[in-house]
Amino acid sequence: QVQLVESGGGLVQAGGSLRLSCAASGRSFSTYAMGWFRQAPGKEREFVAAISRSSDSTLYVDYADSVKGRFTSSRDNAKNTVYLQMNSLKPEDTAVYYCGARSIATYSVTYSRISEYDYWGQGTQVTVSS
Protein backbone atom coordinates (compact mmCIF):
# COMPACT_ATOMS: atom_id res chain seq x y z
CA GLN A 1 0.00 0.00 0.00
CA VAL A 2 1.27 3.42 -0.94
CA GLN A 3 0.20 6.60 0.79
CA LEU A 4 0.51 9.93 -0.96
CA VAL A 5 0.32 13.30 0.75
CA GLU A 6 0.15 16.51 -1.27
CA SER A 7 1.10 19.91 0.11
CA GLY A 8 1.95 23.39 -1.08
CA GLY A 9 -1.42 24.58 -2.30
CA GLY A 10 -2.82 27.97 -1.44
CA LEU A 11 -4.14 31.28 -2.70
CA VAL A 12 -2.04 33.20 -5.21
CA GLN A 13 -2.61 36.09 -7.57
CA ALA A 14 -2.61 35.60 -11.32
CA GLY A 15 0.94 35.52 -12.61
CA GLY A 16 2.26 34.09 -9.36
CA SER A 17 3.89 30.78 -8.59
CA LEU A 18 3.37 27.81 -6.30
CA ARG A 19 5.26 24.56 -5.80
CA LEU A 20 3.28 21.49 -4.93
CA SER A 21 4.87 18.49 -3.27
CA CYS A 22 3.66 14.92 -3.10
CA ALA A 23 5.35 12.72 -0.51
CA ALA A 24 5.02 8.96 -0.90
CA SER A 25 5.40 6.19 1.64
CA GLY A 26 7.18 2.94 0.89
CA ARG A 27 10.60 1.83 -0.26
CA SER A 28 9.92 1.44 -3.98
CA PHE A 29 9.24 5.04 -4.89
CA SER A 30 11.86 5.14 -7.64
CA THR A 31 10.01 2.37 -9.47
CA TYR A 32 6.71 4.25 -9.54
CA ALA A 33 5.49 6.41 -12.35
CA MET A 34 3.88 9.53 -10.93
CA GLY A 35 1.29 11.92 -12.20
CA TRP A 36 -0.46 15.17 -11.36
CA PHE A 37 -4.13 15.75 -12.06
CA ARG A 38 -6.55 18.48 -11.12
CA GLN A 39 -10.26 18.89 -10.67
CA ALA A 40 -12.06 22.21 -10.83
CA PRO A 41 -15.55 22.67 -9.37
CA GLY A 42 -18.15 21.09 -11.59
CA LYS A 43 -15.56 19.55 -13.88
CA GLU A 44 -13.98 16.16 -14.30
CA ARG A 45 -10.51 15.39 -13.06
CA GLU A 46 -7.98 16.14 -15.79
CA PHE A 47 -4.38 15.34 -16.54
CA VAL A 48 -1.74 17.95 -15.73
CA ALA A 49 1.69 16.28 -15.78
CA ALA A 50 3.27 12.85 -15.66
CA ILE A 51 6.78 11.75 -14.83
CA SER A 52 8.23 8.35 -15.60
CA ARG A 53 9.93 5.99 -13.22
CA SER A 54 13.62 6.68 -12.92
CA SER A 55 16.36 4.97 -14.81
CA ASP A 56 20.02 5.72 -14.24
CA SER A 57 20.14 8.75 -16.48
CA THR A 58 16.83 9.32 -18.14
CA LEU A 59 13.56 10.75 -16.94
CA TYR A 60 10.55 11.45 -19.11
CA VAL A 61 8.00 14.13 -18.33
CA ASP A 62 4.79 14.93 -20.17
CA TYR A 63 2.43 17.87 -19.76
CA ALA A 64 -1.07 18.83 -20.71
CA ASP A 65 -1.11 21.45 -23.45
CA SER A 66 -2.77 23.92 -21.10
CA VAL A 67 0.24 23.96 -18.75
CA LYS A 68 3.18 23.44 -21.10
CA GLY A 69 5.82 26.10 -20.66
CA ARG A 70 4.39 27.13 -17.26
CA PHE A 71 4.51 23.98 -15.11
CA THR A 72 7.47 21.73 -14.41
CA SER A 73 7.38 18.37 -12.69
CA SER A 74 10.37 16.72 -11.05
CA ARG A 75 11.10 13.98 -8.56
CA ASP A 76 13.56 13.38 -5.77
CA ASN A 77 13.79 9.66 -5.12
CA ALA A 78 15.94 10.17 -2.02
CA LYS A 79 13.03 12.06 -0.47
CA ASN A 80 10.25 9.93 -1.97
CA THR A 81 8.77 13.13 -3.32
CA VAL A 82 7.49 14.45 -6.61
CA TYR A 83 7.07 18.15 -7.26
CA LEU A 84 4.98 20.37 -9.49
CA GLN A 85 6.39 23.85 -9.97
CA MET A 86 3.64 26.12 -11.27
CA ASN A 87 4.56 29.48 -12.73
CA SER A 88 2.54 32.18 -14.50
CA LEU A 89 -0.59 30.91 -12.82
CA LYS A 90 -3.96 31.79 -14.30
CA PRO A 91 -7.43 31.85 -12.72
CA GLU A 92 -8.30 28.82 -14.84
CA ASP A 93 -5.63 26.85 -12.97
CA THR A 94 -7.84 26.98 -9.87
CA ALA A 95 -8.59 23.41 -8.82
CA VAL A 96 -7.84 20.69 -6.34
CA TYR A 97 -4.56 19.11 -7.41
CA TYR A 98 -3.98 15.41 -6.90
CA CYS A 99 -0.94 13.25 -7.31
CA GLY A 100 -1.16 9.66 -8.39
CA ALA A 101 1.24 6.73 -8.31
CA ARG A 102 1.43 3.78 -10.65
CA SER A 103 3.25 0.88 -9.06
CA ILE A 104 3.93 -1.19 -12.17
CA ALA A 105 5.56 1.13 -14.63
CA THR A 106 7.83 0.88 -17.64
CA TYR A 107 10.96 2.94 -18.03
CA SER A 108 10.53 5.88 -20.40
CA VAL A 109 6.73 5.74 -20.25
CA THR A 110 4.48 8.42 -18.82
CA TYR A 111 0.83 7.81 -18.01
CA SER A 112 -1.84 10.43 -18.61
CA ARG A 113 -5.08 8.58 -17.86
CA ILE A 114 -6.70 8.43 -14.45
CA SER A 115 -7.34 4.70 -14.83
CA GLU A 116 -3.61 4.06 -15.15
CA TYR A 117 -2.89 5.03 -11.55
CA ASP A 118 -3.20 2.79 -8.52
CA TYR A 119 -2.91 5.24 -5.66
CA TRP A 120 -4.06 8.80 -5.04
CA GLY A 121 -3.44 11.51 -2.50
CA GLN A 122 -6.14 13.54 -0.81
CA GLY A 123 -5.51 16.62 -2.92
CA THR A 124 -4.43 20.18 -2.24
CA GLN A 125 -6.41 23.28 -3.16
CA VAL A 126 -4.91 25.84 -5.52
CA THR A 127 -6.80 29.09 -5.96
CA VAL A 128 -5.63 31.74 -8.41
CA SER A 129 -7.25 35.15 -8.10
CA SER A 130 -7.55 37.55 -10.99
Side-chain angles (χ1 to χ4, degrees):
Q1 188 75 10
V2 176
Q3 292 185 327
L4 303 173
V5 179
E6 300 98 334
S7 61
L11 173 64
V12 64
Q13 288 188 331
S17 298
L18 284 173
R19 188 176 83 154
L20 305 184
S21 300
C22 173
S25 65
R27 293 179 290 181
S28 302
F29 177 75
S30 65
T31 68
Y32 302 153
M34 302 296 293
W36 288 97
F37 292 74
R38 66 187 181 187
Q39 188 166 15
K43 296 188 177 181
E44 294 185 349
R45 191 173 299 191
E46 65 176 7
F47 169 71
V48 175
I51 191 164
S52 67
R53 66 175 288 184
S54 301
S55 65
D56 287 342
S57 60
T58 304
L59 200 63
Y60 292 84
V61 190
D62 189 24
Y63 300 95
D65 288 343
S66 59
V67 306
K68 278 181 182 176
R70 300 188 298 123
F71 290 11
T72 303
S73 186
S74 60
R75 65 190 298 163
D76 185 339
N77 292 333
K79 296 182 178 180
N80 278 19
T81 300
V82 63
Y83 302 98
L84 184 68
Q85 177 67 44
M86 306 186 295
N87 299 328
S88 302
L89 283 161
K90 304 175 181 180
E92 51 263 44
D93 294 319
T94 295
V96 177
Y97 283 71
Y98 299 90
C99 71
R102 178 183 171 96
S103 57
I104 299 176
T106 304
Y107 288 116
S108 79
V109 176
T110 58
Y111 302 88
S112 60
R113 291 191 290 264
I114 295 170
S115 60
E116 294 176 312
Y117 288 83
D118 306 305
Y119 304 100
W120 293 94
Q122 82 290 347
T124 186
Q125 176 71 47
V126 171
T127 303
V128 184
S129 63
S130 58

